[in-house]
């Protein structure tokens, strides 16, 4: 059977009925669970729609990836099973393959980037797989896995771009229709496209009136890029916050199916994802990973954009394999994602009574933070956070009120540098006059990563500002200032050799004021 479908896949496009046939014979329920479809009562009331969540976090490996992995592994020939399998993944697919292979008595190797969090490596071992650390990212790990597959006669298990994997993920669609066929829209996260393609092709074949909406992270919108180009393309970089969907290029078959059967695609930012994680916890006590809450974030944005009321909407909570320490970052960002906090910088005169005069303007507003440092000048900039009850309208009203009272103010609520760095720093602008440039850096987070980063920067330039805070993610972010005079060309050449993602943010309003 495996050989037959591989030849079919490579020579011609598979039709929906073939995908349905594979899904029905996928054997996924030998290991997978029929996951609950729950009503989110609080969110339903708030959004004026019936909001349902498909709880794929309740699978044995806490993600939907088990379905596709088992569908493919269970259809391998006896020879392929006896030889063993290999895959590349830093997340949920790795655990799905390890669990499935162990259940079937197949040996499995999972190639993972060297900076993969210990919790994920330990999970692969726990489920019976053999982790092999190689490369600095998924793409390098995948090249290694394919090389080892050819060298050692192992079968490579792709994370999304194969008919068996797609059909296995599509069993989610069949469950949804059995649990509630009176649905208006289904929102599905998109990374490599396996889940979205599997759900879309089966829903459109069985219940074409139901709309299927793909949701991507703005930092890894490979489907949107492919739709614009007309074919799969590689993104120059992807953000790692929603790591489960951080795919540089969507699959060829998954793109064909998504292009043909998805009704729409929407993208969301990280703050919206954080807000969706909070919604899930408050409503059904689920703790989703960022990619797991992606579909809900897209649903909320879609409802607002298209003024949807009175519909029955489903989103797929695709996974819950989250690093516990990452919750700190999520908790801090979700208020901004929900438009429940405003960040701003206000210039006040450095004289007695200025603080009191300013706070009288805010009246009964709840202040979430207030950062100030004396620097001896006539005027000083303070960094302030204010709790909001009515979102953007209230935020604009507060800014206008402060301006009307004669205090210059700049709204930083949408400024990434303010949210990531400035709110955690205490200090003031330097009174010394020197040529300074500010850069934001991203680097792989691992033991000793910060030391390695500093060693890589070298000691040829005076560091005038430095801020780093571990957010529990797989990458670190540093804000650094450098005193430069006649060395700028040499410094720029050094930056290009570092190999880290960096941006010059010297002109950012945060640096100009604070």
């Amino acid at each position: 059977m495996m050989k037959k479908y591989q030849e079919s896949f490579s020579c011609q496009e598979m039709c929906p009925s073939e995908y349905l046939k594979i899904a029905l014979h996928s054997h996924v329920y030998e290991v997978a669970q029929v996951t609950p479809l729950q009503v989110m009562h609080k969110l339903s009331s708030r959004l004026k729609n019936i909001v349902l969540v498909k709880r794929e976090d309740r699978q044995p490996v806490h993600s939907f990836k088990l379905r596709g992995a088992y569908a493919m592994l269970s259809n391998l020939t006896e020879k392929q099973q006896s030889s063993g399998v290999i895959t590349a993944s830093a997340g949920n697919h790795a655990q799905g393959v390890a669990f499935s292979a162990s259940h079937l008595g197949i040996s499995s190797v999972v190639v993972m980037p060297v900076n993969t969090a210990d919790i994920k490596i330990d999970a692969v071992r726990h489920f019976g797989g053999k982790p092999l650390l190689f490369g600095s990212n998924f793409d390098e790990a995948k090249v290694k896995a394919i090389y080892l597959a050819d060298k050692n006669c192992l079968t490579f298990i792709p994370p999304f771009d194969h008919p068996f994997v797609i059909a296995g993920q599509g069993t989610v669609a069949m469950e949804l229709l059995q649990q509630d066929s009176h649905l208006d829209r289904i929102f599905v996260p998109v990374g490599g496209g396996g889940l979205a393609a599997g759900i879309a092709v089966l829903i459109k074949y069985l219940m074409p009136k139901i709309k299927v909406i793909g949701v991507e992270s703005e930092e890894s919108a490979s489907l949107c890029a492919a739709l614009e180009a007309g074919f799969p393309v590689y993104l120059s970089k992807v953000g790692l916050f929603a790591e489960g969907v951080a795919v540089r290029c969507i699959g060829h078959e998954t793109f064909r199916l998504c292009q043909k059967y998805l009704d729409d695609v929407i993208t969301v930012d990280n703050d919206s994802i954080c807000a969706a994680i909070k919604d899930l916890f408050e409503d059904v006590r689920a703790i989703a990973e960022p990619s797991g809450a992606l579909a809900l974030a897209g649903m909320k944005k879609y409802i607002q954009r298209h003024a949807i009321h009175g519909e029955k909407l489903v989103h797929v909570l695709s996974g819950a394999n989250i690093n516990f320490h990452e919750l700190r970052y999520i908790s801090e960002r979700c208020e901004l994602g929900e438009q429940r906090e405003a960040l701003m910088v206000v210039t006040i005169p450095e004289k007695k009574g200025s603080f009191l005069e300013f706070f009288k303007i805010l009246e009964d507003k709840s202040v979430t933070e207030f950062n100030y440092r004396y620097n001896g000048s006539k005027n000083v900039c303070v960094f302030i956070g204010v709790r909001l009850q009515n979102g953007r309208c209230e935020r604009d009203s507060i800014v206008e009120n402060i301006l009307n009272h004669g205090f210059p103010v700049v709204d930083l609520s949408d400024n990434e540098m303010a949210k990531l760095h400035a709110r955690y720093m205490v200090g003031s602008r330097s009174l010394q006059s020197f040529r300074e440039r500010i850069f934001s850096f991203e680097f792989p987070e691992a033991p000793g990563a910060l030391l390695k980063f500093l060693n890589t920067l070298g000691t040829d330039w005076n560091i005038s500002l430095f801020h780093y805070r571990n957010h529990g993610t797989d990458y670190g972010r540093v804000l650094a200032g450098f005193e430069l005079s006649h060395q700028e060309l040499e410094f720029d050449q050094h930056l290009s050799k570092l190999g880290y993602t960096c941006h010059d943010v010297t002109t950012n309003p945060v640096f100009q004021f604070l």
Side-chain angles (χ1 to χ4, degrees):
M1 181 186 289
M2 184 67 181
K3 183 177 180 181
K4 172 185 175 182
Y5 276 105
Q6 284 181 327
E7 290 176 350
S8 174
F9 176 49
S10 62
C11 297
Q12 63 182 24
E13 296 180 354
M14 292 182 60
C15 64
S17 62
E18 290 179 284
Y19 272 105
L20 177 60
K21 182 178 180 180
I22 298 175
L24 290 171
H25 292 86
S26 61
H27 309 296
V28 299
Y29 296 105
E30 292 178 2
V31 290
Q33 304 293 320
V34 175
T35 54
L37 182 63
Q38 291 181 275
V39 179
M40 296 183 67
H41 294 286
K42 293 180 181 178
L43 199 60
S44 296
S45 177
R46 197 169 90 210
L47 299 180
K48 306 296 189 263
N49 290 277
I50 299 176
V51 177
L52 304 170
V53 54
K54 180 63 171 167
R55 295 288 304 273
E56 283 300 291
D57 60 307
R58 301 283 290 273
Q59 293 292 355
V61 299
H62 307 294
S63 106
F64 75 95
K65 285 287 189 177
L66 179 62
R67 297 174 183 268
Y70 195 82
M72 183 163 183
L73 283 165
S74 63
N75 279 286
L76 295 179
T77 65
E78 290 184 7
K79 181 179 179 180
Q80 289 171 321
Q81 290 188 1
S82 62
S83 298
V85 300
I86 190 170
T87 192
S89 172
N92 296 331
H93 178 63
Q95 297 174 55
V97 169
F99 187 95
S100 300
S102 180
H103 181 84
L104 292 166
I106 303 171
S107 63
S108 64
V109 177
V110 180
V111 185
M112 312 177 82
V114 294
N115 60 316
T116 302
D118 288 342
I119 188 174
K120 299 173 183 178
I121 298 172
D122 292 341
V124 168
R125 287 199 185 99
H126 173 72
F127 291 131
K130 179 182 177 181
L132 173 63
L133 302 184
F134 181 86
S136 59
N137 54 51
F138 168 76
D139 293 303
E140 292 179 8
K142 181 180 178 181
V143 170
K144 181 69 171 181
I146 293 175
Y147 166 77
L148 291 175
D150 292 336
K151 179 181 178 182
N152 300 320
C153 296
L154 304 174
T155 299
F156 179 73
I157 308 299
F160 46 81
D161 203 24
H162 191 282
F164 280 129
V165 176
I166 294 168
Q169 319 301 25
T171 58
V172 174
M174 297 193 297
E175 282 182 26
L176 281 173
L177 295 180
Q178 291 170 345
Q179 291 168 321
D180 192 337
S181 60
H182 301 287
L183 304 174
D184 293 295
R185 303 174 202 263
I186 302 172
F187 292 81
V188 190
V190 181
L195 180 63
I199 289 179
V201 67
L202 293 184
I203 287 294
K204 289 303 176 181
Y205 182 64
L206 298 171
M207 295 283 287
K209 290 184 179 180
I210 299 176
K211 305 290 186 182
V212 184
I213 317 297
V215 184
E216 289 192 292
S217 165
E218 290 180 352
E219 295 186 342
S220 56
S222 61
L223 174 56
C224 287
L227 290 171
E228 183 176 350
F231 51 85
V233 295
Y234 275 87
L235 301 177
S236 58
K237 61 169 289 188
V238 295
L240 296 178
F241 175 65
E243 184 188 29
V245 292
V247 177
R248 288 183 60 199
C249 183
I250 194 168
H252 288 272
E253 176 66 357
T254 55
F255 171 67
R256 180 184 75 83
L257 296 173
C258 287
Q259 184 184 44
K260 188 171 184 178
Y261 296 110
L262 281 181
D263 293 284
D264 207 347
V265 182
I266 191 169
T267 63
V268 295
D269 60 23
N270 289 349
D271 288 346
S272 298
I273 295 172
C274 290
I277 292 173
K278 181 183 177 184
D279 288 327
L280 282 161
F281 176 77
E282 291 188 339
D283 223 315
V284 296
R285 293 298 185 267
I287 302 178
E289 62 186 277
S291 59
L294 183 65
L296 176 56
M299 174 191 288
K300 291 168 63 180
K301 182 175 180 179
Y302 204 86
I303 289 172
Q304 183 179 31
R305 174 176 291 181
H306 298 280
I308 296 172
H309 299 288
E311 290 192 359
K312 185 175 285 188
L313 312 172
V314 175
H315 65 94
V316 181
L317 197 177
S318 58
N321 290 303
I322 186 170
N323 183 338
F324 179 79
H325 298 291
E326 195 173 353
L327 294 174
R328 176 178 62 179
Y329 172 84
I330 291 168
S331 176
E332 292 166 349
R333 297 291 291 250
C334 67
E335 296 295 296
L336 293 164
E338 294 177 322
Q339 295 289 323
R340 293 185 181 181
E341 185 183 28
L343 299 179
M344 57 192 74
V345 59
V346 183
T347 303
I348 65 175
E350 186 63 271
K351 65 180 182 180
K352 294 179 179 179
S354 292
F355 279 0
L356 178 60
E357 183 181 354
F358 171 70
F359 270 92
K360 285 181 178 178
I361 300 172
L362 297 177
E363 297 177 335
D364 60 345
K365 302 298 181 185
S366 176
V367 175
T368 57
E369 63 182 286
F370 188 85
N371 298 333
Y372 157 79
R373 180 74 168 89
Y374 174 73
N375 67 1
S377 59
K378 294 182 179 179
N379 295 301
V380 66
C381 294
V382 297
F383 185 85
I384 185 170
V386 180
R387 183 82 64 199
L388 303 176
Q389 299 295 327
N390 298 309
R392 185 61 183 261
C393 292
E394 183 182 4
R395 185 171 115 194
D396 293 341
S397 176
I398 292 172
V399 170
E400 183 179 1
N401 190 34
I402 293 172
L403 286 171
N404 290 339
H405 281 81
F407 292 96
V409 58
V410 176
D411 185 358
L412 299 176
S413 304
D414 298 321
N415 188 298
E416 186 66 17
M417 189 171 165
K419 293 183 283 188
L420 194 63
H421 295 289
R423 70 184 309 173
Y424 306 111
M425 300 173 70
V426 177
S428 60
R429 287 189 56 82
S430 173
L431 296 178
Q432 298 182 25
S433 177
F434 60 88
R435 172 64 172 158
E436 183 182 31
R437 289 173 67 187
I438 310 295
F439 292 86
S440 65
F441 294 89
E442 292 182 12
F443 59 91
E445 187 68 273
L450 188 56
L451 176 61
K452 179 182 178 182
F453 173 77
L454 290 170
N455 283 333
T456 307
L457 281 179
T459 57
D460 295 331
W461 296 275
N462 180 44
I463 296 178
S464 56
L465 176 152
F466 198 89
H467 179 256
Y468 162 77
R469 189 166 184 260
N470 188 303
H471 292 292
T473 58
D474 291 340
Y475 62 102
R477 288 187 175 179
V478 162
L479 183 69
F482 300 89
E483 181 182 358
L484 301 173
S485 53
H486 304 293
Q487 300 175 293
E488 295 205 27
L489 179 59
E490 183 182 351
F491 181 78
D492 288 339
Q493 292 174 342
H494 181 70
L495 283 184
S496 66
K497 297 177 181 179
L498 281 178
Y500 295 121
T501 298
C502 68
H503 303 281
D504 189 330
V505 294
T506 308
T507 59
N508 191 291
V510 171
F511 172 64
Q512 294 176 359
F513 289 104
L514 301 173

